[in-house]
Amino acid sequence: MSYTRAFVMTATWWAQVGKDQYGKPTFGTPTKVICRWEDRTDTIIDKKGQERVIKSRVFLEGNTPVTEEGYLFLGDSNAASPLGLAKAYEVQGIKRTPDLRNLKQLVVAFL
């Protein structure tokens, strides 16, 4: 059985593409992704080696272009920016796990 059968939810992904003249993040076009979103408190070690408390984890297929510092929102949104959008969360960490034959990857984004 494929784990992707559990991916029945839609989320919106914004990649951070830079910063404006005031240092505020700017974002690319919102992208719809299929996922499994779990609200669950946990702790992770971020890329700077600091412990962080996360409130959700989102399971995605390996070809989904999610990266740290981007934002995910559970549902469908056409907002140009996730900032100020209730329940849009910054990706705090990413874990990629290949299957046994290294043909597919499971991506977990920690929010």
Side-chain angles (χ1 to χ4, degrees):
M1 182 189 316
S2 173
Y3 58 81
T4 58
R5 287 184 184 181
F7 294 178
V8 296
M9 302 163 136
T10 299
T12 304
W13 159 251
W14 290 266
Q16 183 176 331
V17 295
K19 298 199 185 270
D20 67 12
Q21 61 196 22
Y22 304 106
K24 190 175 171 183
T26 58
F27 299 93
T29 304
T31 304
K32 308 307 179 266
V33 295
I34 302 300
C35 67
R36 166 129 178 107
W37 186 296
E38 293 182 351
D39 289 328
R40 145 186 187 160
T41 304
D42 209 343
T43 56
I44 63 164
I45 304 297
D46 68 13
K47 66 182 178 182
K48 295 177 184 174
Q50 297 178 345
E51 187 174 84
R52 290 187 171 257
V53 175
I54 55 118
K55 47 186 143 302
S56 300
R57 63 185 185 170
V58 182
F59 297 88
L60 306 146
E61 287 190 89
N63 60 352
T64 307
V66 175
T67 57
E68 292 176 357
E69 297 180 347
Y71 279 71
L72 280 167
F73 169 79
L74 180 58
D76 191 354
S77 175
N78 291 318
S81 169
L83 300 179
L85 186 62
K87 302 202 179 196
Y89 301 108
E90 182 178 0
V91 176
Q92 303 293 319
I94 297 281
K95 181 173 100 175
R96 297 181 187 277
T97 306
D99 68 5
L100 293 175
R101 291 190 270 170
N102 200 23
L103 300 174
K104 293 183 179 180
Q105 283 192 344
L106 173 66
V107 176
V108 183
F110 300 100
L111 313 179

